Amino acid sequence: MNDLIEFLYKIRNKPVLYFGNRRNLTHLSNFILGFLIGREGTNKEIEGSTNWFTNGSFQDFVAKKYQITFSQSWDNIIEFHSSSENEAFDLFFKLLDEFLGK
């Protein structure tokens, strides 16, 4: 399992350590982007993570699942199909599991 996915599962298990009492998908999305950008300048590659996040395969997966044919980010699609911030946060991890085949 690559670093980013491993770290996301740590966040999933204890989100309060990273986001306090507010589980917010936008914050998580920004965190993922920061993680990836932070690693770009290092010698340590994030194996596989650019495939699923920056190259659009997770984006494509979410858009296809919800039959979205116009340009919307994966986090906006998930938030639209959720009734609360907590539900969107949990739905992200459910979709991530489905995407990874877990």
Side-chain angles (χ1 to χ4, degrees):
M1 188 178 286
N2 70 52
D3 289 350
L4 178 58
I5 302 300
E6 213 172 283
F7 198 66
L8 286 173
Y9 281 109
K10 287 180 182 179
I11 291 172
R12 176 190 217 169
N13 292 330
K14 298 201 186 246
V16 72
L17 292 176
Y18 303 94
F19 301 107
N21 291 328
R22 188 170 177 203
R23 297 182 314 157
N24 182 292
L25 188 58
T26 301
H27 294 167
L28 181 61
S29 173
N30 290 335
F31 185 86
I32 292 168
L33 187 57
F35 188 93
L36 293 171
I37 290 171
R39 283 288 177 90
E40 280 182 4
T42 69
N43 290 332
K44 183 168 182 166
E45 288 197 25
I46 309 171
E47 177 187 327
S49 62
T50 54
N51 282 341
W52 77 267
F53 186 72
T54 56
N55 289 344
S57 57
F58 184 71
Q59 169 69 37
D60 294 344
F61 170 79
V62 173
K64 183 177 179 181
K65 179 159 184 78
Y66 292 102
Q67 300 175 350
I68 303 298
T69 57
F70 51 91
S71 180
Q72 284 294 322
S73 65
W74 59 266
D75 54 323
N76 285 339
I77 295 169
I78 293 171
E79 285 177 342
F80 181 79
H81 288 89
S82 304
S83 61
S84 69
E85 288 181 342
N86 286 339
E87 186 180 319
F89 194 88
D90 292 339
L91 181 56
F92 164 77
F93 285 105
K94 181 181 175 204
L95 292 169
L96 181 61
D97 284 344
E98 192 176 327
F99 176 72
L100 295 173
K102 293 189 177 226

